[in-house]
């Protein structure tokens, strides 16, 4: 039975390897059902709302509420 | 994956070096790796008190638009927006590279993480064998943005697209990053590797994944 893992959405600038691995079936070949989860657009906060010491990053939001197991920082 | 961040000024800017950005507003997407990269590029060129930043959008599309409007003197961009900026006549006054780092919940198993690492390692090798083939991924991330859609694979500087096999986080680098962030007041407390990195899962997963690297 395949292992399942959900990670937060990645973009090419920091996750080209993940995107290519998914499209080329490399996760499937390793027995891993890798799923990408995206934050709903209405929950997305712009960094423009933050300050250096109180940033409004979106990274890790899905993981924090149990909807993803990993994210890239 | 190694991320490239570039400190960019608009075509009409009198700024040619990062030093010339002293006391000038540089827009950063606080809380993201590109913002930290921006701070590091600036503080490498001037005293900290001369580093002047303002909050910018998370979206590099919005930061690029603000740059071209003259909302600020400079910003930090990542691909494909570095290439978009170059096509628009902007200048890169500094570039830097940094690791993307995985953050995982405690329930990620050694086996699943090893499978992830093996697949990523294979992808890294595919991409490194023909980077130009895969630059379309940078374009497809930005539907509805004509300036990105107009890019062609040969527009990209492949030297800015760097990938290496995934590996454990060197403790020194983790500590330096923590201490550097603390020095800016961006993080509190002292670094403790045992609470930040599960070395057991990390080591076992990398050992399990190692076979593919030898192959």
């Amino acid at each position: 039975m395949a292992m399942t893992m959900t990670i937060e959405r990645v973009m090419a600038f920091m996750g080209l390897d993940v995107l290519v691995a998914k499209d080329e079936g490399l996760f499937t070949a390793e027995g891993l059902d890798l799923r990408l989860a995206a934050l709903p657009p209405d929950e997305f906060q712009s960094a423009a709302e933050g300050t250096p010491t109180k940033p409004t990053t979106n990274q890790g939001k899905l993981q924090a509420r149990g909807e993803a197991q990993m994210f890239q920082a | 994956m190694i991320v490239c961040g570039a400190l960019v000024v608009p075509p009409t800017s009198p700024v040619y070096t990062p030093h010339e950005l002293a006391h000038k507003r540089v827009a950063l997407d606080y809380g993201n790796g590109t913002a930290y990269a921006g701070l590091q590029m600036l503080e490498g060129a001037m005293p900290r008190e001369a580093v002047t930043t303002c909050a910018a959008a998370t979206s590099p599309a919005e930061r690029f638009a603000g740059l071209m409007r003259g909302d600020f003197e400079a910003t930090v961009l990542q691909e494909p927006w570095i290439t978009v900026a170059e096509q628009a006549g902007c200048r890169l006054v500094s570039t830097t590279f940094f690791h993307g780092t995985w953050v995982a919940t405690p329930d990620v198993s050694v086996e699943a993480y090893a499978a992830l690492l093996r697949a990523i390692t294979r992808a890294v090798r595919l991409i490194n064998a023909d980077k130009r083939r895969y630059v379309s991924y940078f374009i497809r991330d930005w539907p509805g943005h004509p300036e990105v859609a107009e890019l062609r694979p040969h527009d990209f500087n492949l030297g800015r697209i760097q990938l290496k096999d995934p590996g454990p986080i060197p403790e020194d680098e983790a500590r330096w990053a923590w201490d550097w962030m603390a020095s800016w007041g961006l993080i509190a407390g002292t670094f403790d590797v045992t609470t930040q990195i599960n070395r057991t899962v990390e080591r076992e997963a990398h050992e399990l994944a190692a076979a593919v690297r030898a192959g």
Side-chain angles (χ1 to χ4, degrees), chain A:
Chain A
M1 192 172 76
M3 298 172 284
T4 300
M5 182 190 290
T6 301
I7 65 171
E8 295 191 3
R9 180 192 178 215
V10 296
M11 299 183 76
F13 81 92
M14 67 186 306
L16 177 62
D17 44 9
V18 173
L19 298 173
V20 169
K22 184 147 180 72
D23 286 353
E24 299 284 345
L26 302 179
F27 293 117
T28 304
E30 294 293 342
L32 181 64
D33 177 11
L34 188 85
R35 301 169 184 183
L36 303 180
L39 195 67
D42 61 332
E43 294 184 38
F44 192 87
Q45 281 186 287
S46 173
E49 300 168 33
T51 66
T53 53
K54 288 192 177 177
T56 57
T57 182
N58 298 291
Q59 296 167 343
K61 283 186 177 176
L62 292 177
Q63 188 195 55
R65 62 190 195 213
E67 295 176 21
Q69 291 167 287
M70 294 179 67
F71 69 94
Q72 273 198 317

Side-chain angles (χ1 to χ4, degrees), chain B residues 16-173:
Chain B
Y16 282 80
T17 72
H19 311 77
E20 293 170 325
L21 286 170
H23 303 293
K24 294 180 177 171
R25 291 204 317 154
V26 179
L28 299 179
D29 53 331
Y30 300 139
N32 293 284
T34 40
Y36 303 134
L39 280 179
Q40 292 185 333
M41 286 188 278
L42 291 168
E43 76 167 351
M46 64 189 75
R48 283 195 176 185
E49 59 268 25
V51 174
T52 307
T53 67
C54 61
T58 308
S59 165
E62 292 182 44
R63 295 202 301 280
F64 172 69
L67 183 76
M68 297 302 278
R69 282 194 306 267
D71 294 351
F72 33 77
E73 302 283 345
T75 191
V76 177
L77 297 174
Q78 64 269 44
E79 293 292 1
W81 292 94
I82 301 173
T83 301
V84 167
E86 283 187 321
Q87 296 289 310
C90 297
R91 288 193 303 281
L92 314 186
V93 297
S94 185
T95 56
T96 192
F97 295 86
F98 56 97
H99 286 106
T101 304
W102 287 109
V103 180
T105 54
D107 64 327
V108 171
S109 69
V110 167
E111 292 75 17
Y113 189 40
L116 180 98
L117 294 172
R118 285 194 297 269
I120 287 177
T121 300
R122 290 200 168 96
V124 166
R125 291 175 182 183
L126 277 178
I127 298 162
N128 281 338
D130 187 3
K131 287 183 187 174
R132 194 75 70 190
R133 177 182 169 198
Y134 293 100
V135 295
S136 60
Y137 278 76
F138 292 93
I139 298 171
R140 81 176 194 186
D141 270 347
W142 294 95
H145 290 271
E147 58 275 74
V148 175
E150 288 169 6
L151 295 178
R152 296 294 172 260
H154 65 264
D155 293 328
F156 287 82
N157 179 337
L158 299 184
R160 292 197 292 258
I161 301 170
Q162 296 294 336
L163 299 98
K164 59 180 280 197
D165 289 357
I169 302 171
E171 185 173 334
D172 281 349
E173 289 186 26

